[in-house]
Amino acid sequence: MNTETWTFIFVTISLMLYLYIGWRSRVEDSKGFFVADRGIPAIANGAATAADFMSAVSFISIAGAVSILGYDGSYYVMAATGGYVLLGLLLAPYLRKFGKYTLPDFIGDRYYSNIARIVAVIAALIISLTFVIGQMRGVGIVFSRFLQVPIEVGVVIGMVIVAFFAILGGMKGITWTQVAQYFILIVAYLIPAIAICNALTNIPIPELAFTFGDIVEKLNQVQVDLGFPEYTAAFTQKTMLDVLFITISGMVGLASLPHVIVRFYTVPNVNAARYSVGWA
C-alpha cells in the first residue's frame, strides 16, 4: 500500500476512536456535561489540556511561523510555555477552589458585580470566536488536503464531527477524546522530528542528533536554501524589546483562553488542578 492509503487508514481509525469515546462518555446531567462530573484525574486532564493547545493553531501556525521567521518566531513557543506557568500560578487553583462552572461566574461572584460578569462573557465570546476561526480554518485545510475537497467543505465536515461528540458527551466526552488525541498528536510530532534527524544526520533520535549530528547547522542551511532566515540568526526582523513584549502578551493571552481555563473545573480538587498544569 502507498503512503496515501496508509494515511487514510490511520486518520479513519483515529476519527472512529474519537467518535467511540464521545459516545461511550455520553452524559445525562449538567454537571457531567459542563465539568465532567469533576472526576478527571490530573494526568488525564493535563493530557487533554496539552491536546487542546497542540491543535490546528499551534500544530500548523506556530510551526509555520518558526519556519518562516526563524529564531524570531520562537516567541510563540516561549509565550505558550510561559502562559501555562501563569495559568498554574495565578489562575487554575483558585478557579477550582471557587467551585463555579464558568469563568464569568467566577468573575461575577468574585467582584460582586453583574457588570463584571457581562464583560467576562463578552471577552470570552470574542476570544473563543477568534480562536475557533483559526482552528476551523486549520481543520478545513487538513480535510481539504486529505479528502480532496474545497476548504469550505472541509470546515463543514470538521464542524459536524466535533459537534457530534461534543453534544453527546459534553466536557466528559471531549476530555477523554482529547486524552486519546494527545497520544496521537505526540506520535504525529515525533514522526517528522525523527525522520528529519535521520535524513540529515543518520541519527534518528533528535536529542542525539543535536549533540552529535551537527543538525543545527544543517537545518540552518536548509532554511537559507529555501530563502528563509537561519533558525539561529537571532532577532533578524524584531528587536529584543519587541520579542519581550510579544512574548508577554502571548503568555497573558494563552493564560486567558476559555477552552483551556475550563479544564480546571473538571478535576476533583485544587491540588489536581495544579498538577494538571504541570502535566500539560
Side-chain angles (χ1 to χ4, degrees), residues 4-87:
E4 186 174 331
T5 303
W6 279 113
T7 303
F8 185 85
I9 292 172
F10 181 76
V11 172
T12 301
I13 292 173
S14 300
L15 289 175
M16 295 304 294
L17 174 63
Y18 297 158
L19 293 173
Y20 174 73
I21 293 173
W23 178 75
R24 283 299 302 268
S25 303
R26 60 192 185 280
V27 294
E28 297 179 353
D29 55 31
S30 59
K31 186 178 180 182
F33 189 87
F34 289 110
V35 293
D37 293 324
R38 290 203 168 104
I40 305 297
I43 296 178
N45 196 55
T49 306
D52 252 339
F53 188 75
M54 291 190 300
S55 52
V57 169
S58 56
F59 196 82
I60 299 173
S61 302
I62 291 182
V66 174
S67 180
I68 293 171
L69 300 175
Y71 192 87
D72 284 21
S74 62
Y75 46 70
Y76 291 112
V77 181
M78 293 186 289
T81 307
Y84 278 109
V85 176
L86 287 182
L87 194 62

Side-chain angles (χ1 to χ4, degrees), residues 200-201 203 208-220:
L200 294 181
T201 67
I203 301 174
L208 296 181
F210 270 97
T211 306
F212 303 109
D214 202 23
I215 193 173
V216 174
E217 286 72 16
K218 294 177 180 178
L219 285 172
N220 280 338

Side-chain angles (χ1 to χ4, degrees), residues 100-132:
K100 295 295 181 179
Y101 280 175
T102 67
L103 186 61
D105 282 340
F106 167 75
I107 291 175
D109 289 3
R110 173 67 179 79
Y111 295 101
Y112 309 103
S113 170
N114 283 329
I115 294 176
R117 189 191 308 270
I118 292 170
V119 171
V121 170
I122 294 171
L125 286 173
I126 293 172
I127 294 169
S128 298
L129 287 173
T130 303
F131 198 85
V132 166

Side-chain angles (χ1 to χ4, degrees), residues 40-50 175-176 179 182-183 267-268 271-273 275-280:
I40 305 297
I43 296 178
N45 196 55
T49 306
T175 299
W176 288 112
V179 171
Y182 167 81
F183 291 101
V267 292
N271 282 337
Y275 282 121
S276 291
V277 182
W279 285 110

Side-chain angles (χ1 to χ4, degrees), residues 189-207:
Y189 271 94
L190 287 174
I191 288 173
I194 292 170
I196 290 169
C197 289
N198 190 59
L200 294 181
T201 67
N202 293 320
I203 301 174
I205 301 174
E207 290 80 3

